[in-house]
Amino acid sequence: MERRELIQWLAATAGLRCLESLAPRDLLALGREVHRCAGAPPGRALDAHALQTVTVAAERIIPATDTPGATEAGVSAFIDKILADWHTPAERDRFLAGLPELDARCRARAGKDFVDCTAADQVAVLTALDDEARATSSGEHWFARLKYLTVYGYCTSEPGMRALGLFPLPWRYDGCAPVTR
Amino acid sequence: MTGGWAAKELTELGLRTLVLEAGRPIVPEQDYVEHKPPWEMPFRGLGDRRAIAARQSVQRSSVSFDELSHVFWTDDVDNPYSTPADRPFYWFRARQVGGKSIIWSRQVYRWSDLDFEANLRDGIAVDWPIRYADIGPWYDHVERFIGVSGQAEGLAHLPDGPFLPPMDLNCVEQHIRQRMQERFGRERIMTIGRVANLTTQHNGRAPCHYCGPCHRGCITRSYFSSVNATLPAARATGRLTLRPFSIVRGLIYDQRKNRITGVRIVDAQTRAEREYTGRIVFLCASALESARILLNSDVGNSSDQVGRNLMDHIKWGGATGQFDGWSDRREIGERPNGIYVPRFRNITARHPDFIRGYGFQGAADRPGWRSALRAPGVGAAFKQRLHDLGPWSMSFWGFGEMLPQADNRATIHPTLVDTWGIPSLHIDCRWGENDLAIHRDMNITAGELLEAAGATNIEHPNGPSTPGGTNHEMGTARMGRDPKTSVLNGWNQSWDVPNLFVTDGAAMTSSGCQNPSLTYMALTARACHHAVDLLNLHEL
């Protein structure tokens, strides 16, 4: 990435937070800040923290086991894409308004943001939200959307489709094959 | 579909033939995308929702419209039409070389005299000027070329053809076929779909490899389309000229000679106008587009039947039911075909509520990971659920005959024009009482079939469909026996202007309940041979 592109990128979205903290001509500081921000780049609908939150939540929903999990399948980038370019503003806003609930519940539980909690706390928070989302009758709960997009994103990714035996294609038809797994 | 057939037949009969295609050229190696996996699509198959809402708000309702195949459907902003506010009509349109033959569902069923004699028998509309004996050999001709896989069943009202080996029914479909046989005997049978997908090497084209999304193209040419089969055959004669981006503005009519002397086109890209001349003209633009050309040209309509009698097939009646068992069995590969239950109403016994009938298409399958989209839980145990294939379910979807009605009609809109300034259509079409009675009966009998087979949780679709939604629009320049009440004679030839032929769905005098493309193709081939006979006899 060229330096000019980096500045444009920083200026463009959530990077503004970084840019404000810079001494304008301090190239060394610029480099450090860029490096820090680039370590957790923002998405297009999700800022860096929200993207990290979604990444961790998706991995807890579909964890790596003997097959890849949601992180390796790039699920959070898919969710960010759908939020930015596919959902209506109202759908996106409902999701973005709900997501901080993960931090709020983890802080109440363990005094930390969701991404900094233990895996056990994260799973407990997600499980409680899953139960609540399933009990909701008034419209789709934001967590149900997160979970739906996690499953859809995983099952349409290359690692996910390989894990599920959907790729590569069999190049034949058998209408009565045994289930092997 | 029919344009490719006209090109093949006319060139093979020795005529230098110009094909004018409104849309772009298709290069299979670039434009066919059936093997692109979901993760290479920006929206993983969900489609670019905003762009589609802005530009393809009608086309998106077609069953074969998706994130990749949307390029094979027209832009609704460039190609507007209107309907009454309370009577929507879906006009699905495909403008590219190959037209709708790229995105069709490839189901091919012959008609019989049950269909060709129906209007006469019922005193409806006008009588077909042909019978099965007239078209039977042309069904053979077309099926031998395109390749149709299917199972001969020996039904008089759904004649068999020279089929390639049938595709397999899956285990649950085999069970249902067996139970139907026990319960209904020969009255209601289930057979594998008759489909223009190859199951063996055929005329230089490879057999199907079961990848699934045929509507995105087929690089092995395993299903029939104009691009895959008829246009290459026409090109091989050395007598074909194909001009894409050629939108027909109208036919050029010479009143003194009472002949069409040529066609006026506008270039879709440059907007330059051009005229082409020819001895004969075949309109194969699809039922509504051909009617639009005739109406905009003000020719061939002394009967006032052009644009009238618009028909489709009524659908979204039927049932879906669940089957316990076979949980250790699955399908491998994507069969581009389902089952068919041939029409069984009004074959021998008269139904009290309606005339004509319907057939069922459908399939049994398991939902796979999609059944986990709303499943409870998180973590490794939930992840394991993604491997559950879910229960087997079987669907029967009815396709019902629609009666011709003079008031179901397309007319030239007084002010609305397309991007090229060509007057657009106003389409006014609604289901009739008989059509809706057929739709109601689909729900009843599909439920009976599923109950006989032991299904549970039987549900019915929220029909009926929107007219046009089955993509089987037809009837807008019907064939008949009398120039006063029909547009075309028994050879798809204009009564008014003898060197004008219309061989797409516009020519249909009734709609049957079978998927109509095979009949369009057979009528086209037959009309081409007749036209060349007339030319050779100097009668044209």
Side-chain angles (χ1 to χ4, degrees):
Chain A
M1 198 184 263
E2 294 296 326
R3 179 172 159 271
R4 190 177 50 183
E5 286 178 279
L6 274 171
I7 293 169
Q8 281 170 353
W9 168 70
L10 284 168
T13 52
L16 274 173
R17 211 159 36 128
C18 309
L19 204 59
E20 280 162 10
S21 67
L22 289 181
R25 294 188 184 81
D26 189 343
L27 290 176
L28 197 67
L30 175 69
R32 267 202 306 269
E33 286 296 329
V34 164
H35 185 75
R36 191 179 70 78
C37 289
R44 292 179 51 237
L46 299 167
D47 64 26
H49 179 69
L51 190 63
Q52 224 184 335
T53 304
V54 166
T55 304
V56 173
E59 179 68 18
R60 293 290 168 238
I61 295 170
I62 304 181
T65 53
D66 58 331
T67 56
T71 306
E72 190 176 335
V75 163
S76 58
F78 167 70
I79 293 177
D80 183 58
K81 168 77 177 165
I82 291 292
L83 290 170
D85 295 329
W86 198 85
H87 275 316
T88 64
E91 290 164 342
R92 184 190 59 217
D93 291 348
R94 190 159 67 238
F95 183 92
L96 294 179
L99 192 61
E101 217 175 315
L102 290 176
D103 281 343
R105 292 192 183 206
C106 278
R107 273 190 230 108
R109 193 183 174 90
K112 293 176 187 164
D113 280 353
F114 178 79
V115 295
D116 298 323
C117 271
T118 63
D121 281 336
Q122 289 166 347
V123 168
V125 164
L126 293 173
T127 303
L129 272 168
D130 188 52
D131 291 343
E132 289 169 38
R134 296 179 61 76
T136 302
S137 54
S138 57
E140 189 186 47
H141 192 284
W142 73 270
F143 183 79
R145 180 93 312 232
L146 170 65
K147 196 168 146 191
Y148 184 99
L149 290 175
T150 299
V151 173
Y152 191 95
Y154 180 79
C155 295
T156 55
S157 70
E158 180 169 359
M161 288 186 71
R162 285 186 184 277
L164 293 168
L166 300 173
F167 189 87
L169 299 174
W171 309 117
R172 66 192 174 94
Y173 178 72
D174 182 342
C176 210
V179 175
T180 49
R181 178 168 169 140
Chain B
M1 187 73 73
T2 54
W5 267 97
K8 168 179 154 15
E9 299 298 304
L10 294 175
T11 53
E12 288 181 348
L13 290 166
L15 269 59
R16 288 190 301 123
T17 304
L18 171 66
V19 173
L20 295 169
E21 164 55 51
R24 68 191 168 112
I26 291 294
V27 180
E29 287 68 22
Q30 295 163 16
D31 296 314
Y32 287 174
V33 287
E34 72 275 16
H35 295 153
K36 192 185 272 266
W39 61 85
E40 288 181 16
M41 304 177 209
F43 297 96
R44 304 282 180 90
L46 297 173
D48 188 344
R49 189 183 183 193
R50 293 177 195 166
I52 289 163
R55 306 295 303 202
Q56 294 188 294
S57 58
V58 174
Q59 308 304 312
R60 69 175 168 191
S61 296
S62 169
V63 291
S64 53
F65 183 100
D66 70 22
E67 178 160 350
L68 296 179
S69 72
H70 82 99
V71 297
F72 297 132
W73 302 91
T74 50
D75 180 311
D76 289 318
V77 177
D78 284 336
N79 298 281
Y81 67 98
S82 69
T83 69
D86 59 338
R87 289 200 288 282
F89 181 92
Y90 289 146
W91 186 10
F92 300 139
R93 304 159 80 181
R95 282 188 167 181
Q96 63 264 326
V97 171
K100 281 186 186 168
S101 72
I102 295 174
I103 44 191
W104 70 315
S105 296
R106 309 166 309 286
Q107 292 287 306
V108 286
Y109 300 99
R110 293 187 179 205
W111 284 32
S112 73
D113 280 337
L114 181 70
D115 306 297
F116 290 112
E117 291 173 356
N119 281 2
L120 180 66
R121 187 170 53 240
D122 298 327
I124 294 279
V126 298
D127 185 21
W128 275 90
I130 60 168
R131 292 293 182 260
Y132 185 73
D134 300 304
I135 199 172
W138 297 101
Y139 280 142
D140 288 346
H141 178 77
V142 168
E143 289 174 354
R144 288 212 171 86
F145 182 77
I146 70 177
V148 177
S149 74
Q151 175 74 51
E153 298 284 357
L155 291 178
H157 66 285
L158 194 77
D160 298 323
F163 297 135
L164 305 179
M167 292 181 182
D168 291 338
L169 297 173
N170 64 41
C171 7
V172 172
E173 292 163 349
Q174 286 174 26
H175 161 79
I176 296 167
R177 175 177 160 109
Q178 182 63 36
R179 296 292 284 271
M180 280 174 60
Q181 223 162 42
E182 290 158 18
R183 170 78 176 70
F184 297 104
R186 289 280 290 167
E187 187 215 341
R188 301 183 193 179
I189 69 157
M190 181 203 279
T191 188
I192 184 71
R194 296 174 179 176
V195 69
N197 285 68
L198 305 180
T199 49
T200 55
Q201 185 87 13
H202 185 75
N203 291 340
R205 295 188 287 124
C208 175
H209 53 269
Y210 301 98
C211 73
C214 300
H215 53 284
R216 298 174 186 163
C218 186
I219 202 66
T220 57
R221 275 72 164 173
S222 302
Y223 74 84
F224 171 78
S225 72
S226 302
V227 176
N228 291 351
T230 42
L231 289 172
R235 196 169 289 119
T237 66
R239 288 185 280 272
L240 174 73
T241 306
L242 175 59
R243 192 187 194 284
F245 297 119
S246 304
I247 303 173
V248 174
R249 186 181 281 287
L251 306 172
I252 305 164
Y253 176 62
D254 182 330
Q255 195 158 17
R256 197 173 47 84
K257 295 181 188 159
N258 189 32
R259 291 172 69 87
I260 305 296
T261 56
V263 176
R264 189 173 296 116
I265 66 125
V266 52
D267 187 295
Q269 295 177 298
T270 66
R271 307 203 178 192
E273 302 228 354
R274 275 201 69 165
E275 291 182 0
Y276 291 95
T277 57
R279 282 198 292 167
I280 56 173
V281 172
F282 272 66
L283 277 184
C284 301
S286 82
L288 283 161
E289 199 70 68
S290 287
R292 180 182 175 207
I293 290 169
L294 288 172
L295 291 169
N296 275 330
S297 310
D298 197 23
V299 297
N301 194 23
S302 67
S303 64
D304 186 36
Q305 293 298 315
V306 174
R308 293 188 184 273
N309 312 302
L310 174 59
M311 296 171 281
D312 186 30
H313 287 141
I314 191 165
K315 64 175 182 180
W316 300 149
T320 298
Q322 199 175 307
F323 285 84
D324 300 328
W326 298 279
S327 57
D328 61 342
R329 296 283 145 179
R330 66 177 301 170
E331 289 181 292
I332 286 179
E334 300 280 336
R335 185 186 63 190
N337 189 19
I339 59 88
Y340 194 65
V341 177
R343 177 177 152 186
F344 51 87
R345 288 301 201 200
N346 293 312
I347 305 290
T348 49
R350 271 299 294 269
H351 193 279
D353 298 340
F354 57 87
I355 58 172
R356 316 293 169 93
Y358 53 91
F360 284 120
Q361 296 177 33
D365 62 7
R366 306 181 74 173
W369 59 265
R370 284 168 195 275
S371 63
L373 279 167
R374 306 275 181 200
V378 302
F382 174 73
K383 185 186 181 191
Q384 186 54 35
R385 273 209 65 158
L386 303 179
H387 291 272
D388 287 353
L389 297 170
W392 284 91
S393 71
M394 173 78 202
S395 296
F396 289 105
W397 299 297
F399 286 72
E401 177 156 2
M402 179 183 187
L403 295 182
Q405 304 275 358
D407 291 341
N408 281 337
R409 185 179 188 192
T411 49
I412 296 297
H413 193 285
T415 53
L416 189 65
V417 296
D418 66 18
T419 287
W420 300 272
I422 303 171
S424 299
L425 290 180
H426 177 74
I427 302 172
D428 188 346
C429 186
R430 69 181 103 182
W431 303 121
E433 275 311 309
N434 196 76
D435 312 332
L436 293 169
I438 280 178
H439 175 261
R440 283 191 293 275
D441 196 54
M442 293 169 180
N443 286 337
I444 297 168
T445 61
E448 290 169 357
L449 299 182
L450 289 171
E451 276 165 21
T456 57
N457 298 336
I458 295 173
E459 293 177 352
H460 300 284
N462 290 322
S465 54
T466 299
T470 308
N471 205 346
H472 292 172
E473 74 279 10
M474 60 179 116
T476 44
R478 70 183 176 195
M479 296 165 79
R481 295 174 183 272
D482 182 345
K484 288 198 276 301
T485 56
S486 58
V487 181
L488 308 171
N489 68 14
W491 300 99
N492 294 75
Q493 182 182 20
S494 165
W495 286 113
D496 295 347
V497 191
N499 70 333
L500 172 64
F501 295 79
V502 183
T503 68
D504 55 35
M508 303 294 275
T509 311
S510 66
S511 74
C513 65
Q514 303 91 320
N515 303 53
S517 293
L518 177 69
T519 299
Y520 303 169
M521 291 192 268
L523 287 174
T524 302
R526 178 174 175 269
C528 287
H529 284 253
H530 181 71
V532 172
D533 285 348
L534 292 179
L535 284 172
N536 290 339
L537 293 167
H538 304 287
E539 289 180 12
L540 260 187

